[in-house]
Amino acid sequence: MMAAAAAAERCGRDPCGALCPLLAYLSVGYADYAVLAHVLPQPALRSSPWCPIHAVTFNLLVLLLLASHTRAVFADPGVVPLPGTAIDFSDLHPTERNSDEWTLCSRCEAYRPPHAHHCRVCHRCVRRMDHHCPWINNCIGELNQKYFIQFLFYTGLTSAYAAGLVLAVWLGPSGGDGTENRIQTAHCVVLLLESLLFGIFVTVVFYDQVVSILTEQPHKRGSKEACGGRAWAAALQEVFGGGCVLGWLCPCSTPSRPTYSLLPHGDV
């Protein structure tokens, strides 16, 4: 309930944050409808023993896409908690500090850990904030970046799968009357354009997120081992958690939640 209330409050501050998730759900719903009602029933696929497998696999990808998107929307991105007692900042002035040091936020009037930034939409500081994404109506931060990357990954896979099915239909045998073919062709064209548009978009964002993780994690800044395989694995584990790599693809698992004191070095 608290997560839903926070999401609704963000929608009030950012109308685009309400529109983009709705557009995403409508696009996914249409893609699922087009595949099941107009792509798989065509002669090139319906007579194949793979047809039911395609239907199950595509819907499984859609389910994982929606699950990861929902987790990214409602998960705490890593909001920096406010201290229980007010801190007097009257004699303090923000100064330029190293990114690995604690800083103070004049808007929250609180200290924030390294790499935390203030979000103008959420009006709070978020740990390891990447950006505020209207597509999930939430910040991308320390605790929900995993779900956001999963959302991008499954959106890319779903788009590629849908585009592949459309191409299989066009390269395979045709059949049916002219009216039915025109309707199915129209849906195939729209589905292919949607798949290419979203597929290219999420691929670019996915690449940017992965590169950011591999090159900008705090423990790797300035490290000569930034290009090493162990350093990359450690950076990915900070986002996706330890354990089996296949577990990184599951939107049900929760990344480890680090603990921070409210003040640097535990000072009061």
Side-chain angles (χ1 to χ4, degrees), residues 2-266:
M2 293 181 61
E9 185 178 359
R10 290 193 298 268
C11 289
R13 300 187 189 124
D14 182 20
C16 185
L19 179 61
C20 288
L22 178 61
L23 178 60
Y25 286 126
L26 291 176
S27 300
V28 172
Y30 171 76
D32 196 35
Y33 161 76
V35 167
L36 296 180
H38 298 284
V39 177
L40 293 180
Q42 295 201 39
L45 293 176
R46 69 186 178 197
S47 58
S48 170
W50 291 94
C51 183
I53 298 178
H54 286 314
V56 172
T57 303
F58 187 82
N59 277 274
L60 177 61
L61 290 177
V62 169
L63 178 62
L64 291 171
L65 184 161
L66 295 176
S68 56
H69 183 270
T70 302
R71 293 299 299 271
V73 170
F74 292 104
D76 173 17
V79 174
V80 178
L82 298 176
T85 58
I87 301 176
D88 184 9
F89 289 95
S90 58
D91 296 330
L92 298 177
H93 301 282
T95 58
E96 192 70 26
R97 297 190 180 186
N98 186 283
S99 60
D100 291 324
E101 296 180 354
W102 282 70
T103 57
L104 60 88
C105 177
S106 58
R107 298 177 182 178
C108 293
E109 296 185 345
Y111 287 101
R112 56 190 176 191
H115 311 292
H117 301 283
H118 188 87
C119 175
R120 62 177 181 82
V121 178
C122 299
H123 299 315
R124 293 291 296 275
C125 290
V126 177
R127 299 193 296 267
R128 294 188 191 173
M129 176 182 169
D130 187 85
H131 68 287
H132 186 95
C133 179
W135 289 101
I136 66 170
N137 188 31
N138 201 357
C139 287
I140 309 301
E142 186 174 61
L143 300 182
N144 71 339
Q145 188 177 25
K146 169 184 177 178
Y147 306 130
F148 179 65
I149 294 178
Q150 287 175 339
F151 166 63
L152 298 174
F153 177 74
Y154 288 120
T155 301
L157 278 185
T158 304
S159 299
Y161 205 145
L165 291 176
V166 171
L167 294 178
V169 165
W170 285 350
L171 296 177
S174 59
D177 56 51
T179 302
E180 182 182 7
N181 282 342
R182 285 194 296 270
I183 294 175
Q184 291 178 334
T185 299
H187 281 287
C188 286
V189 170
V190 174
L191 178 62
L192 181 61
L193 292 176
E194 177 186 320
S195 299
L196 292 176
L197 178 64
F198 279 92
I200 294 174
F201 175 72
V202 299
T203 298
V204 172
V205 180
F206 178 84
Y207 173 80
D208 178 73
Q209 287 289 306
V210 173
V211 170
S212 175
I213 293 173
L214 298 180
T215 60
E216 297 181 7
Q217 287 289 24
H219 76 279
K220 294 175 60 180
R221 293 180 182 270
S223 172
K224 296 181 180 180
E225 299 178 356
C227 60
R230 292 185 178 181
W232 287 351
L236 292 172
Q237 286 178 352
E238 286 190 11
V239 175
F240 294 97
C244 179
V245 175
L246 293 178
W248 295 358
L249 302 177
C250 179
C252 298
S253 60
T254 304
S256 58
R257 182 182 293 267
T259 58
Y260 296 92
S261 62
L262 295 179
L263 298 176
H265 310 300

